[in-house]
Amino acid sequence: MASSPCGNSNFDSGLEIKTRSVEQTLIPLVSQITTLINHKDKPKKSEHTLAAIHRVGQAVSVAVGRFVAVGEAIATENQELKDEMGQACFEARRAGDAIAQLTDVGSAMPSQSDGRVTVFSDRTGMVKAARLLLSSVTKVLVLADRIVIKQIITSRNKVLVTLDHLERVSTFQEFVQIFSQFGNEMVEFAHLTGDRQNDLKDEKKKARMAAARAVLEKCTMMLLTASKTCLRHPDCDSARINKDAVFHRMRCALEQVIEIVTEARSCGENKILPAGIYIGIKDFKSSVECLRENLHSLSPQSVAGQLEALVEWTEDFTDSAYTSHEQRQAILGLCQLARQDTQQLVHSWVEAQSVHAKEATEDMEVAILKTCQSVNDLRRELHKVAMGRASDLLKVHGEQLPLQALKAAGAEGNLEAVAQYSRTLTEQKEQLVETCRLLCHVSGTEPLEITCIHAEETFHVIGPQIISAAQTLALHPSSKIAKENLEVFCEAWESQLCDMALLLREINDVFEGRRGDKRPYLSLPRPGKHSANLKTAKAVKLDAEEQTSIAKLGLELRLLSSDVDTEVEKWEEQEHDIARQSQSLTSMAYNMYLFTRGEGLLKTTLDLFHQAEVLSEEGLQLCSSLRTFSTKLVDEEKSVVMTEMDKLVALCQQLQMGAKTPVQVKTATFQKVDSSIQTTRSILAVVLSLLPFCNKLNKKYKSERTSLSSPQDWRERQDAPTPVKEEGALNGQNSNGFGVKSLEQHMAGLNLLESK
């Protein structure tokens, strides 16, 4: 419904609604205006109905008046929008007054036949007022949204200025002062861009924003250690190269964020989404199946051209040095089969056209089915090759042998060994980059394609940065800061491998039809040496007997994780906090399950305990979302949710305390592993019981919000004070209180229930 205003021909071309907050704010208004206009079909009303309509009209007018007051305040605070906002507010107020007048009982005409009252005799005037109101309110919202964009740009500019200062500092004292300021500015920027990312309607833009923010998040720690290393060793070329690469990547990520929020087009825009085989096959099948309805919708040459483009893209697989001979032959054979089936389809198609058939003939139908089947078989084979390659690489690289060797060689000051292991790491980097390219072909959705591209770029950049950091350490083996710097870049590499493992799950889920457009959790906290906990704990691996004893427990965890995933998929609002955070929990629980099998990227007990701690934090975030959700429930429903939430809080705190408690004896370590997995299993069990209940309630209240409430309910909402959330900005300054969120609160009064 919210798209209705956008489709009005009277709207300015620049009023496309790009954010969920603007869209959701308009929904109640569209609903009420539609309800009023629909009364035209029954112009004669009883006194009771007439009074209800009158109250609705007056309510719309009052709510619009308050809404306009906020818009005018925005104009006062932002002079560059004053004229446009003032005009839009004037039109909205005029339209609101017109609707109030048209629904005024005093202007209604009594019928001579039955004494009932006729309203909306000026139907044209009501439609005109409604269109003007929707258009002007939308314009006010879109203009207000510009303020959010302006805040992000201003924040980015502050970060850039401080980044320039950081790059030029020459003393540690100056660096510490400026980096503290830089950290505060980055926190502000992260909050603004995080809110924007969640608000965007376009899934591709959301994925690009997530990728850019992930770069900034990870580069902040790299920038700290790389800069300190450069200050400690100012004449070291490898340290300078290492630092310059971090600053360059941060600037690129900052620029990408601004391109997304302002919809600017950079010279690299065309590289964002290269052609993918999965999408190409989907388009090819769509073209072929359209022939059933219209034999003249396409030309035979265009269909053959589409197939040849697909075959050309498969060369990324067949030309790879890492593709086995058997896999290469299978792909080439399926490409040839697809060609033959397409040629047969074209032959049948031409014959059908020659006899002036109006729809696909029987021969054509058979050829269409065979062609679609052959490209499906090709897609399956390519998916198997890409996923198999990626899984194998993750198993091999999970041991992190080149990284460990580089650290050891650097600490020994062995430049020759550093050069040797650098070549090994470079080869691994090239394998990972190529594999990400293959995954991009089979990802299945554009957001996942973007995530694959992000992974490819990350491996491509971090590989050389690890090498330059190792070279610096080899030149200064006694330097603690150089050693710490190398650790940070190695952790970034390991973190990207974790993200890649999650990406594989998402791609596989899409391929098997279990999920829609999902993205990996790029911004989840990652375990690492800079986590303040467990610094003195010893990382150990479980022996075969211990591994066997927890295998059954791990399997139970895996089954529960799958059940929770299934419940999450039933949510219509996949971006709802409860659904999103529950899915995040299952992803981390899946990593713990892999640990019980001796697989995955959690190699030691210390890795497992770090993961358990992060999972507990995400669980507590889910509890916070449940508490917020419960505020709109009635007593009985609220009691059920709060009872289960209390259980969840206790379990998360238990897991968190257990993960932080240091142990020394191996027996105690195994008991801690067992306890962590059992508690995680209990957490998932509670989440599994909550999800269907909350989903049912969410649908129920969402349905109620779209209908008209009684005038009494509306009056109660109008009498209640409007809550305004104030978020303190950094450095003690208050953030701009005006914006889309404030407007949402004032528009909420339009959410009325239809009177009988």
Side-chain angles (χ1 to χ4, degrees), residues 622-642:
L622 174 59
C623 293
S624 177
S625 299
L626 287 167
R627 185 176 287 107
T628 302
F629 178 75
S630 68
T631 58
K632 58 186 177 184
L633 306 180
V634 298
D635 291 344
E636 185 177 346
E637 297 167 345
K638 184 174 183 178
S639 175
V640 173
V641 173
M642 293 299 288

Side-chain angles (χ1 to χ4, degrees), residues 563-707:
D563 290 342
V564 173
D565 271 340
T566 300
E567 288 300 328
V568 169
E569 288 161 15
K570 295 177 183 178
W571 282 64
E572 294 176 358
E573 295 180 62
Q574 287 289 298
E575 293 298 327
H576 194 288
D577 285 345
I578 293 175
R580 180 173 51 79
Q581 289 161 348
S582 298
Q583 186 186 355
S584 175
L585 291 176
T586 64
S587 293
M588 288 183 272
Y590 183 78
N591 284 341
M592 297 173 75
Y593 153 71
L594 290 178
F595 173 85
T596 66
R597 291 168 53 92
E599 300 174 2
L601 294 170
L602 304 180
K603 298 298 180 184
T604 67
T605 54
L606 188 54
D607 294 336
L608 180 75
F609 300 149
H610 280 313
Q611 183 72 94
E613 189 177 342
V614 175
L615 188 146
S616 67
E617 291 169 0
E618 188 72 6
L620 292 172
Q621 288 293 322
L622 174 59
C623 293
S624 177
S625 299
L626 287 167
R627 185 176 287 107
T628 302
F629 178 75
S630 68
T631 58
K632 58 186 177 184
L633 306 180
V634 298
D635 291 344
E636 185 177 346
E637 297 167 345
K638 184 174 183 178
S639 175
V640 173
V641 173
M642 293 299 288
T643 299
E644 294 301 304
M645 188 202 72
D646 289 342
K647 294 180 187 176
L648 192 57
V649 169
L651 287 167
C652 289
Q653 290 175 342
Q654 178 184 334
L655 181 63
Q656 194 171 59
M657 290 301 297
K660 291 180 177 180
T661 303
V663 291
Q664 301 298 333
V665 185
K666 188 175 182 184
T667 304
T669 300
F670 175 70
Q671 290 173 348
K672 183 175 174 180
V673 169
D674 184 77
S675 174
S676 296
I677 295 174
Q678 289 210 44
T679 307
T680 301
R681 183 185 61 178
S682 300
I683 288 173
L684 289 187
V686 175
V687 173
L688 182 61
S689 68
L690 273 168
L691 277 172
F693 186 63
C694 291
N695 189 20
K696 180 181 176 182
L697 294 177
N698 188 51
K699 288 180 180 177
K700 171 186 172 184
Y701 284 96
K702 185 179 179 182
S703 173
E704 289 181 359
R705 285 198 304 269
T706 59
S707 53

Side-chain angles (χ1 to χ4, degrees), residues 1-6 15-31 134 137-138 141-142 145 198-203 573 702 740 744 747:
M1 248 184 338
S3 59
S4 300
C6 301
L15 292 189
E16 179 188 355
I17 296 176
K18 301 179 179 67
T19 58
R20 297 182 189 279
S21 54
V22 172
E23 183 179 66
Q24 293 301 312
T25 303
L26 284 171
I27 286 176
L29 178 60
V30 174
S31 175
L134 291 175
V137 166
T138 302
L141 288 168
V142 172
D145 190 56
N198 292 330
D199 199 23
L200 288 170
K201 290 172 60 182
D202 190 300
E203 293 297 328
E573 295 180 62
K702 185 179 179 182
V740 171
E744 279 181 344
M747 291 302 291

Side-chain angles (χ1 to χ4, degrees), residues 10 73 151 191 241 326 328 391 400-401 407 458 535 576 578 664 690-691 700 707 743 752:
N10 293 337
Q151 288 174 339
H191 282 306
I241 291 170
E326 292 77 12
R328 186 176 292 107
S391 299
Q400 308 297 340
L401 296 179
K407 292 177 191 177
T458 300
K535 281 190 175 180
H576 194 288
I578 293 175
Q664 301 298 333
L690 273 168
L691 277 172
K700 171 186 172 184
S707 53
L743 294 171
L752 310 171

